[in-house]
């Protein structure tokens, strides 16, 4: 049993592992910890590495991951009975793999808001097949086919639009966001004398009628314990189910889809759990890098405000504003926050600022509870349009506060790294299920926010 934390650290393990509880015997494994990249130029090399065959697009190891966010449908036909509303569901398939959405009962305009992932062998030769079906009458309400090669040619390998349905009503459409990411092995530079120590989990042993798990860390150099060198062995295709995180989404959703995923056989599905080693890790601690735990950031911002004022009267929003959409999805039991844009931020240098937005759902201040946008370079009016989610029920979220901070990016110990402004949004609102979009004033500590509708 091999600890996946070691695979994540080393990125590539290709060696013979000694078998436990037998006098002798070894198993040759090649393990790769892969990351997701939106660069189609890397695909050809990956296809070569996994020996992809044009005539066998549905078999073998995977070269990429397809992330699908199923949003909603409009103007669906009524199915077999003209005077009744359908109960639609969506069936999606790529090759031999198929997945299905939940059923939305008695509606022509269903909303799903569901994420799906597919491991793809060769996106140049495979298609995404989508069919909307009426569960009640067992009939097709419309379908469409998306060649994955279209995603390879799309910006950021992503399509986010309403797709017109075939064999359906004249204005029937399906809204989806589909992203393709190449599974890429980022090899780490190692010194010639580098030796890793693969962490092995020993099988459970019986002790007093109970099973006790014993873990030890052993050094496993290639061919260890064998006087003769290990013969070269071809690498076999996937046999282990990787644990992944659908952080992202789609990648950040973008659908915030998974961040790091293992290359699997084509029949495997992704999940959103971390590696098993995380079970033994300590409870996540608050992020010490956050300005929540660094009050000096607020003090520095107040000092910067005084410098900006310099005898003049600042406007109503001296630190600028941020536009947010906030709503709670009862179907998914999640708080959804869309960070749209900021305007009139203060400048950290002559080139402006490099702003990004980070969020916590207080009182949770753990690093695992943090959400961050990308960095927008050299601008005081950044546009993000990124969506984030927090798993929380409606009664619970109405007792929470959303902590939003706009920060200036910079290198480690950079003098230009700091806080640009904050806003604290109390979520005790009856309108949370319906949602709202508003501009919020940024302040030094997030209090006294002035809302502009």
């Amino acid at each position: 049993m091999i600890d996946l934390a070691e695979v994540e650290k080393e990125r590539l393990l290709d060696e013979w592992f000694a078998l436990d509880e037998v006098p002798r015997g070894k198993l040759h494994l090649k393990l790769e910890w892969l990351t997701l990249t939106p660069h189609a130029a890397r695909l050809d090399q990956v296809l070569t590495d996994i020996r992809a065959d044009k005539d066998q697009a549905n078999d073998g190891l995977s070269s990429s991951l397809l992330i699908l966010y199923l949003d909603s449908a409009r103007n669906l036909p009524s199915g077999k009975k003209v005077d009744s509303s359908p109960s639609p569901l969506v069936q999606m398939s790529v090759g031999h793999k198929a997945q299905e959405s939940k059923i939305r009962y008695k509606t022509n305009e269903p909303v799903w808001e569901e994420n799906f992932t597919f491991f793809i062998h060769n996106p140049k030769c495979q298609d995404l097949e989508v069919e909307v079906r009426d569960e009640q009458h067992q009939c097709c309400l419309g379908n469409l086919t998306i060649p994955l090669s279209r995603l390879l040619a799309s910006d950021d390998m992503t399509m986010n639009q309403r797709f017109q349905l075939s064999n359906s009503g004249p204005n029937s459409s399906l809204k989806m966001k589909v992203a393709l990411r190449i599974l890429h092995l980022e090899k780490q530079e190692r010194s010639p004398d580098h030796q890793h120590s693969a962490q092995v989990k020993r099988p459970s042993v019986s002790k007093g009628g109970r099973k006790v798990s014993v873990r030890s860390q052993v050094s496993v150099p290639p061919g260890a314990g064998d006087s003769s060198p290990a013969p070269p062995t071809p690498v076999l295709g996937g046999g282990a189910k990787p644990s992944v995180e659908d952080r992202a989404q789609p990648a950040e959703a973008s659908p915030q889809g998974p961040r790091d995923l293992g290359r699997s056989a084509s029949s495997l599905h992704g999940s959103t759990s971390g590696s098993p080693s995380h079970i033994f890790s300590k409870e996540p601690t608050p992020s010490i890098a956050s300005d929540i735990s660094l009050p000096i950031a607020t003090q520095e911002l107040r000092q910067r405000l005084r410098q900006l004022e310099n005898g003049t009267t600042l406007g109503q929003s001296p630190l600028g504003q941020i536009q947010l959409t906030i709503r709670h999805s009862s179907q998914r039991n999640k708080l959804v926050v869309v960070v749209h844009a900021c305007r009139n931020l203060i400048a950290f240098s002559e080139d402006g600022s490099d702003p990004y937005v980070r969020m916590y759902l207080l009182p949770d201040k753990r690093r695992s509870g943090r959400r961050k946008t990308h960095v927008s370079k050299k601008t005081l009016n950044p546009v993000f349009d990124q969506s984030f989610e927090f798993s929380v029920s409606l009664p619970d979220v109405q007792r929470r506060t959303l902590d939003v901070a706009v920060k200036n990016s910079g290198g480690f110990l950079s003098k230009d790294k700091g806080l640009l402004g904050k806003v604290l949004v109390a979520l005790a609102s009856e309108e949370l299920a319906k949602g709202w979009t508003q501009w919020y004033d940024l302040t030094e500590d997030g209090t006294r926010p002035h809302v502009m509708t």
Side-chain angles (χ1 to χ4, degrees):
M1 298 178 67
I2 302 170
D3 195 326
L4 291 185
E6 187 66 27
V7 184
E8 179 183 10
K9 175 183 175 183
E10 295 293 328
R11 303 295 173 91
L12 173 63
L13 293 177
D14 185 2
E15 60 192 57
W16 291 84
F17 291 87
L19 298 175
D20 293 328
E21 299 184 354
V22 289
R24 61 183 178 274
K26 295 180 181 179
L27 186 65
H28 186 195
L29 296 175
K30 182 176 181 180
L31 307 170
E32 296 177 343
W33 189 275
L34 304 169
T35 56
L36 301 176
T37 175
H39 305 299
R42 297 187 184 273
L43 178 61
D44 288 339
Q45 181 59 51
V46 174
L47 293 176
T48 301
D49 293 342
I50 66 171
R51 301 180 177 89
D53 191 319
K54 293 181 180 179
D55 298 325
Q56 296 178 349
N58 298 323
D59 299 304
L61 295 173
S62 300
S63 67
S64 50
L65 184 81
L66 181 69
I67 307 162
L68 188 153
Y69 176 71
L70 176 64
D71 186 274
S72 58
R74 282 183 185 173
N75 303 316
L76 292 179
S78 299
K80 291 184 177 180
K81 294 184 178 181
V82 178
D83 57 346
S84 65
S85 296
S87 296
L89 61 88
V90 179
Q91 295 175 340
M92 297 145 286
S93 63
V94 180
H96 304 315
K97 298 169 291 183
Q99 298 189 56
E100 190 172 277
S101 74
K102 296 179 181 178
I103 303 170
R104 295 292 178 246
Y105 293 96
K106 303 294 183 181
T107 176
N108 292 81
E109 305 214 348
V111 176
W112 288 283
E113 296 181 333
E114 294 184 64
N115 290 300
F116 303 89
T117 57
F118 292 87
F119 285 103
I120 307 299
H121 177 61
N122 188 347
K124 292 184 177 181
C125 310
Q126 293 181 266
D127 300 331
L128 170 64
E129 303 282 349
V130 181
E131 182 179 18
V132 184
R133 295 189 59 81
D134 183 358
E135 172 65 17
Q136 182 178 1
H137 301 116
Q138 292 296 310
C139 64
C140 176
L141 299 176
N143 54 40
L144 64 95
T145 299
I146 303 175
L148 300 186
S149 57
R150 285 178 59 188
L151 286 167
L152 292 173
S154 301
D155 291 342
D156 197 38
M157 296 172 62
T158 302
M159 298 175 67
N160 185 8
Q161 65 185 70
R162 286 201 168 273
F163 295 88
Q164 190 71 28
L165 291 171
S166 302
N167 304 312
S168 186
N171 297 313
S172 300
S173 63
L174 192 64
K175 185 178 181 182
M176 298 189 301
K177 185 170 187 176
V178 189
L180 190 69
R181 293 295 180 263
I182 308 302
L183 292 168
H184 172 60
L185 176 63
E186 293 183 350
K187 296 182 180 179
Q188 294 186 347
E189 295 295 331
R190 299 292 190 188
S191 60
D193 59 346
H194 171 76
Q195 286 188 346
H196 68 81
S197 183
Q199 200 169 29
V200 178
K201 295 181 185 177
R202 299 294 184 186
S204 298
V205 295
S206 178
K207 183 178 180 181
R210 295 182 301 169
K211 287 189 175 181
V212 181
S213 179
V214 182
R215 299 176 75 244
S216 63
Q217 186 163 320
V218 296
S219 179
V220 192
D226 195 341
S227 58
S228 60
T233 306
V235 178
L236 300 179
K241 293 185 178 181
S243 294
V244 304
E245 176 157 292
D246 183 344
R247 219 84 353 154
Q249 39 155 79
E252 292 207 300
S254 50
Q256 295 299 327
R259 294 176 301 193
D260 293 330
L261 297 98
R263 184 172 290 138
S264 71
S266 62
S267 61
L268 299 183
H269 297 287
S271 70
T272 56
S273 61
S275 67
S277 63
H278 295 169
I279 298 174
F280 300 95
S281 63
K282 294 189 293 184
E283 180 70 14
T285 56
S287 168
I288 60 174
S290 166
D291 56 87
I292 288 180
S293 54
L294 290 178
I296 191 172
T298 301
Q299 298 173 10
E300 290 176 348
L301 183 57
R302 285 173 178 163
Q303 183 178 2
R304 186 175 292 272
L305 262 181
R306 288 195 294 268
Q307 293 172 352
L308 288 174
E309 188 173 11
N310 194 22
T312 64
T313 301
L314 296 177
Q316 189 174 10
S317 307
L319 294 180
Q321 297 169 321
I322 184 170
Q323 187 184 37
L324 304 172
T325 291
I326 302 173
R327 68 180 177 88
H328 187 271
S329 173
S330 58
Q331 293 175 348
R332 301 162 60 204
N333 221 30
K334 292 180 183 292
L335 176 70
V336 181
V337 181
V338 182
V339 181
H340 294 290
C342 299
R343 62 189 181 191
N344 303 323
L345 299 177
I346 63 173
F348 254 71
S349 67
E350 294 179 356
D351 295 326
S353 295
D354 297 334
Y356 68 95
V357 179
R358 80 95 189 100
M359 293 180 290
Y360 287 102
L361 188 58
L362 300 181
D364 184 5
K365 302 177 184 178
R366 295 173 298 173
R367 184 179 295 274
S368 59
R370 182 175 62 187
R371 304 290 186 269
K372 291 172 62 177
T373 68
H374 63 259
V375 177
S376 190
K377 294 288 188 178
K378 298 181 180 179
T379 178
L380 303 182
N381 299 283
V383 175
F384 299 103
D385 284 331
Q386 287 184 256
S387 179
F388 302 91
E389 296 178 348
F390 298 87
S391 295
V392 59
S393 66
L394 183 58
D396 187 18
V397 76
Q398 290 179 324
R399 297 190 293 268
R400 311 282 282 272
T401 299
L402 184 66
D403 182 329
V404 183
V406 183
K407 307 181 79 174
N408 191 66
S409 178
F412 186 62
L413 297 180
S414 169
K415 63 182 177 64
D416 287 336
K417 189 174 184 178
L419 182 65
L420 292 170
K422 288 183 63 173
V423 60
L424 297 173
V425 183
L427 301 176
S429 171
E430 296 179 356
E431 297 294 320
L432 195 57
K434 182 179 178 181
W436 63 80
T437 300
Q438 293 177 343
W439 284 96
Y440 294 87
D441 279 355
L442 295 170
T443 63
E444 309 97 288
D445 56 5
T447 58
R448 305 182 311 280
H450 175 74
V451 179
M452 296 186 65
T453 57

